[in-house]
Amino acid sequence: MELSSLDWIIIVGFLILSLVIGIRLKGKAEGSLANFFLGGRNLPWYIAGISMVATTFAADTPLAVSELVAQGGISKNWLWWSFLAGGMLTTFFFARYWRRANILTELELIDIRYSGKEAKMLRGFKSVYLGIFMNSMVIAWVNLALNTLLVTFFNIPEDQVFYYTFGAMAIAVTYSSLSGLLGVAITDTVQFIIAMTGTIILSILVLNAPEVGGMQTLTAKLPEFYFDFFPSLNESVSNNVHVFSLSIGAFLAFVGVQWWASWYPGSEPGGGGYIAQRMMAVKTEKDSLKATLFFQVAHYVLRPWPWIIVALAAISLYAPEYAISDQEISAQIYKMKESGATLQEVLQTFQNATPEIERAINYAYNQRLGYVYAMQDFLPNGLKGLLLVAFLAAYLSTISTQLNMGASFIVNDLYLPFFSKKEIDNKQIITISRLATVFLMITGIIVTTQINSISGVWEFIMEAGAGLGAVLIIRWYWWRINAWSEIVGMIAPFIGFAIGHWVLTPAMGPEFVTHKGTFYFTVLFTTVSWIIATWSTPPVESEKLIQFIHKIQPDGWWTPVYQQAGQDAPPSNLKMLFGLWLSAVTMTYSFLFAVGKWIFGQYTSASVWTLIGIIGLWSLSYLMKKMKW
C-alpha cells in the first residue's frame, strides 16, 4: 500500500512525540525505584486507568476481535467478556489493599504476607517466571501481531519485517527506560486517544461506504446470528459453522468459573501484573479503586464496538459467499478448506483468479485480514497514516508496559534480594533498572525470532493455571494461607492438565474436552491440592501475620490474628463490597449491550438495557458514598 507524504508526516511526528515525552520526563524517573517503577506513587487515577486500557489495546486486539466476529458473530466475544466479573472483583475487593500495601511490585507482597525460606524461594521463582519468561512471551506475541500488520498493510517482505519491528521496539525501550512508569503512563494516554480516534473513524468510513451501505443494509445482508449478543447453548442449533454455540458446561466455565479460577497474564484473579502496578502508583487507595473501575468500564464498553462494526462490514465485503458472485467458486473454496487443503494449494487452484477472489480466499483462511483490508480500501491519504499510528500506539503502549513491569521484577525481586552484596545508591539502581529494560527487549526479540504462533501456548497457560486464581484471591482474606499454598497452587494445575488430557480424555472421549471437563477437573484437582498443602504445613509466623494486619487491615477470616495482636477486627465490609461488585457488573454489561443495541437501531431493547445500566450506576454511586476508606 502506498502512503502519501501526509501519512508519513503523521507517523514520524507521532514517533518523535513519544520520544520527546520520554526525554522530558527523564528527571522525574530518577531518585528512587518508586519514582522509576511507580511514577513516585503520584499518578492521577484517570491517567492510571487510561494506561491500563491502553496496555490491553495491543496491535493484534482489533484483528483478534475481527476474527472472533467472523467465526461466531458478536456472541463469540464472550470468550473475553466473561472476565468482567473477575475484573470487578479486583476493583472492589483488592484495589485498596494493593495501594495500602505500599509495596513496589506485586511480588513484594510475598515478602510481607508469607514467612520462611519457602517464601523467598517463591518470590525468586516468580521474578524469573513472570519477569523474564512470561514477559518475553507477551512481547513475542505482540511483535508477531505487528509483523502480520506490516507484511499485509505495507507489503514488507517477511524476511525484512523483523528490522521494522526491532525499530519500533527500540523506540519503546528508549522512552520507557528514560522516563520510567510516569513516561509510559503519559504516552499511554496520548496513544490510547490516538488509537481510539483512528478505529472510530475507520468504523464510520467503512460502515457508510457505498459497498456496505450503512447499518440497515448491513443487518439485512448478514444472517441474524452474527448480531446475537449471547451464544447458543444448543450445540446442534445449526449446521452453519459460523454460529457460536457452547455446551451449558462450557458456558458455565466461561461465566461462572474461569474468571476466578484461571490465572493468565493481564487477568490475574485478585489483581496482578500491570494492573497491580497502576493501582500501586496512584495517590490514595480510593484512587486505586477509581482507576480500576474506569479501566473495566472502558475496556468492555468503550473499546470493542468500533472493531465489531468493521468486523461485520468485512464479512459482507470479503467473505467468499459475499465477495464472489459465482457461488460455485465460493462453495469450492470452503470445501477445499474443510478437506484440509492449505492456503497455498487453494491459491494455486485459482491462480488466474481476480484480486477479489484472491482476497476472499485469504480471508477464508485468516479472518483477521478483514480489518487490514478495510484499512487499505477505505482510508484516504492522511487517515492511513493516522490509523497506522493508532496501531503503532497500541503496540508501543503494550510493549513499554511489559518492559517497565518486567524490569521491576528483575531488579526489585531478583537482583536486590538475591544478588546485591552491598548497598547501592539510587543512581546505580536506576542505571541497573534501565539495563534490565534493555535486557528484556533483547530476550523478547530472541523469542520472537524463534516462534511462529503461540496461540496454543496461551490455551495451555489458561488451563494449566486453572485453580491457582483461588489462592491469589483468598490469601488476602484468610490468615491460614501460606507460601506452600501458592507454590502447590502453581504446580498442581500442570499435573491436573496432564491427567485430564492424557488419562481422562482417552477414557471418556473427546466430548470431555468439548464440555470443559478437563478444565473443571484441573480446577478441582488444584483446589484440593492447595487446601491439603495449606493444612499439612505450618502457618505463617505470628509476627509476620500481625505485621500484615497492621499494614493492610484485611477483612475476612483474620480474627485469630487480630486476637493475638490484642485488638478487635475492623467492621466487615464484605456485604458492602459484594453489593458494589454486583452493581458494577450489572452496570457494565448493561451499558455494553445498550451501546450495541443503539448502534444496530434496536431501540426498544437498547432502552431496556440503558435503564438497567442506569439502575446499576445509581446503586454503585449510592454504595460508594457509604464506603469507608
Side-chain angles (χ1 to χ4, degrees):
M1 185 196 71
E2 294 294 328
L3 294 181
S4 68
S5 298
L6 179 59
D7 293 317
W8 282 113
I9 289 172
I10 292 172
I11 294 170
V12 174
F14 163 75
L15 296 176
I16 292 174
L17 175 63
S18 298
L19 291 173
V20 168
I21 291 173
I23 294 169
R24 289 291 299 273
L25 296 175
K26 178 177 179 292
K28 293 187 177 183
E30 298 175 340
S32 70
L33 282 180
N35 286 350
F36 190 83
F37 290 121
L38 293 178
R41 302 185 195 273
N42 202 36
L43 284 184
W45 67 266
Y46 50 89
I47 295 294
I50 292 174
S51 181
M52 294 180 196
V53 189
T55 300
T56 62
F57 188 165
D60 69 310
T61 317
L63 309 184
V65 169
S66 295
E67 185 175 44
L68 291 177
V69 173
Q71 291 176 348
I74 294 172
S75 63
K76 197 163 186 179
N77 284 285
W78 275 99
L79 294 177
W80 64 279
W81 285 354
S82 61
F83 284 94
L84 171 63
M88 287 302 183
L89 197 77
T90 297
T91 300
F92 296 105
F93 286 81
F94 304 104
R96 58 201 178 103
Y97 287 161
W98 281 110
R99 182 60 186 87
R100 198 178 294 174
N102 204 39
I103 51 183
L104 193 70
T105 66
E106 63 166 297
L107 302 187
E108 197 173 331
L109 175 66
I110 295 170
D111 192 52
I112 69 170
R113 175 62 179 84
Y114 305 134
S115 60
K117 293 181 179 179
E118 62 271 20
K120 187 175 182 179
M121 176 182 69
L122 176 63
R123 185 179 178 186
F125 170 76
K126 292 187 79 171
S127 68
V128 176
Y129 178 71
L130 298 180
I132 300 176
F133 173 75
M134 196 57 67
N135 255 295
S136 297
M137 296 294 284
V138 173
I139 290 169
W141 169 263
V142 177
N143 282 346
L144 285 175
L146 184 63
N147 287 352
T148 301
L149 186 70
L150 292 175
V151 169
T152 307
F153 202 82
F154 283 109
N155 296 319
I156 295 173
E158 292 189 15
D159 59 346
Q160 298 178 20
V161 71
F162 168 79
Y163 301 105
Y164 291 85
T165 302
F166 176 79
M169 199 172 182
I171 293 172
V173 78
T174 299
Y175 74 74
S176 61
S177 64
L178 286 175
S179 59
L181 181 66
L182 179 60
V184 170
I186 296 299
T187 51
D188 277 353
T189 302
V190 175
Q191 290 162 357
F192 179 70
I193 292 171
I194 294 172
M196 284 306 304
T197 300
T199 55
I200 290 171
I201 290 174
L202 177 64
S203 67
I204 294 172
L205 291 175
V206 173
L207 183 62
N208 294 309
E211 296 88 339
V212 178
M215 185 57 70
Q216 188 173 0
T217 302
L218 182 63
T219 53
K221 184 176 183 179
L222 297 179
E224 290 184 9
F225 66 80
Y226 277 115
F227 301 91
D228 290 340
F229 285 15
F230 296 92
S232 169
L233 299 183
N234 182 359
E235 292 177 290
S236 60
V237 66
S238 173
N239 293 324
N240 191 319
V241 296
H242 296 298
V243 176
F244 181 50
S245 60
L246 292 171
S247 67
I248 294 177
F251 184 72
L252 290 176
F254 282 121
V255 301
V257 180
Q258 189 167 270
W259 57 266
W260 62 262
S262 290
W263 176 95
Y264 78 96
S267 288
E268 298 88 345
Y274 58 84
I275 304 298
Q277 187 186 35
R278 274 31 172 208
M279 291 189 288
M280 295 184 291
V282 295
K283 300 175 183 178
T284 67
E285 60 183 75
K286 188 173 184 179
D287 285 337
S288 69
L289 187 150
K290 290 163 67 177
T292 316
L293 178 61
F294 174 86
F295 160 60
Q296 299 298 337
V297 174
H299 180 67
Y300 290 97
V301 178
L302 177 62
R303 293 190 324 153
W305 288 112
W307 308 338
I308 291 172
I309 291 170
V310 174
L312 291 168
I315 296 169
S316 72
L317 291 166
Y318 308 117
E321 59 266 41
Y322 301 107
I324 302 174
S325 57
D326 190 332
Q327 293 303 296
E328 289 185 9
I329 294 178
S330 174
Q332 186 180 355
I333 291 170
Y334 281 122
K335 187 175 181 180
M336 291 184 68
K337 181 184 176 184
E338 290 170 7
S339 67
T342 65
L343 172 61
Q344 289 72 24
E345 289 171 342
V346 178
L347 288 172
Q348 180 130 15
T349 302
F350 297 94
Q351 57 184 333
N352 296 320
T354 64
E356 288 76 15
I357 293 179
E358 186 174 330
R359 269 192 171 187
I361 294 171
N362 282 308
Y363 180 84
Y365 275 80
N366 185 1
Q367 288 89 0
R368 294 186 176 210
L369 293 177
Y371 202 95
V372 181
Y373 289 157
M375 292 167 60
Q376 290 177 332
D377 291 346
F378 298 102
L379 290 176
N381 291 337
L383 290 182
K384 289 178 181 177
L386 176 63
L387 206 70
L388 257 296
V389 162
F391 275 88
L392 281 173
Y395 168 82
L396 292 174
S397 63
T398 303
I399 290 293
S400 60
T401 288
Q402 295 299 142
L403 292 172
N404 184 267
M405 182 185 67
S408 72
F409 292 164
I410 293 173
V411 175
N412 190 65
D413 304 297
L414 182 63
Y415 177 77
L416 291 179
F418 292 94
F419 298 103
S420 179
K421 303 298 183 183
K422 60 180 181 179
E423 290 292 326
I424 305 176
D425 62 34
N426 287 328
K427 186 175 181 180
Q428 290 176 306
I429 291 176
I430 298 303
T431 300
I432 293 170
S433 301
R434 286 171 173 153
L435 291 174
T437 306
V438 175
F439 167 75
L440 275 177
M441 181 192 76
I442 295 171
T443 57
I445 289 173
I446 292 172
V447 173
T448 303
T449 62
Q450 299 301 309
I451 60 175
N452 295 317
S453 172
I454 60 170
S455 57
V457 175
W458 285 117
E459 293 174 8
F460 171 76
I461 289 173
M462 175 68 73
E463 194 158 323
L468 171 61
V471 181
L472 302 181
I473 290 172
I474 296 174
R475 64 183 177 178
W476 294 95
Y477 286 91
W478 186 29
W479 69 275
R480 192 59 179 79
I481 295 291
N482 59 28
W484 287 112
S485 309
E486 198 166 326
I487 291 171
V488 172
M490 292 181 66
I491 297 173
F494 291 90
I495 300 173
F497 178 89
I499 295 173
H501 281 269
W502 299 329
V503 178
L504 297 180
T505 299
M508 298 186 179
E511 294 80 9
F512 188 65
V513 175
T514 305
H515 293 277
K516 285 287 184 177
T518 54
F519 174 78
Y520 284 123
F521 172 77
T522 304
V523 171
L524 178 62
F525 180 84
T526 302
T527 302
V528 171
S529 298
W530 69 254
I531 290 176
I532 292 173
T534 301
W535 287 113
S536 60
T537 53
V540 176
E541 295 173 0
S542 297
E543 182 180 352
K544 178 71 73 172
L545 292 175
I546 290 172
Q547 291 173 355
F548 185 77
I549 65 166
H550 283 157
K551 190 169 193 176
I552 304 298
Q553 292 291 294
D555 209 334
W557 298 274
W558 287 88
T559 302
V561 182
Y562 281 111
Q563 289 174 345
Q564 281 187 323
Q567 67 181 77
D568 295 329
S572 177
N573 274 319
L574 289 179
K575 290 182 179 179
M576 172 80 71
L577 294 172
F578 180 78
L580 286 164
W581 173 79
L582 185 61
S583 299
V585 170
T586 301
M587 175 196 72
T588 308
Y589 272 134
S590 298
F591 284 147
L592 168 65
F593 302 145
V595 171
K597 295 296 184 181
W598 286 116
I599 289 173
F600 298 132
Q602 301 172 13
Y603 301 125
T604 301
S605 54
S607 300
V608 172
W609 282 116
T610 301
L611 179 60
I612 297 172
I614 290 172
I615 293 172
L617 176 60
W618 175 84
S619 176
L620 179 65
S621 301
Y622 174 77
L623 293 174
M624 284 282 284
K625 291 176 182 177
K626 297 182 66 175
M627 185 76 178
K628 295 179 181 179
W629 300 96

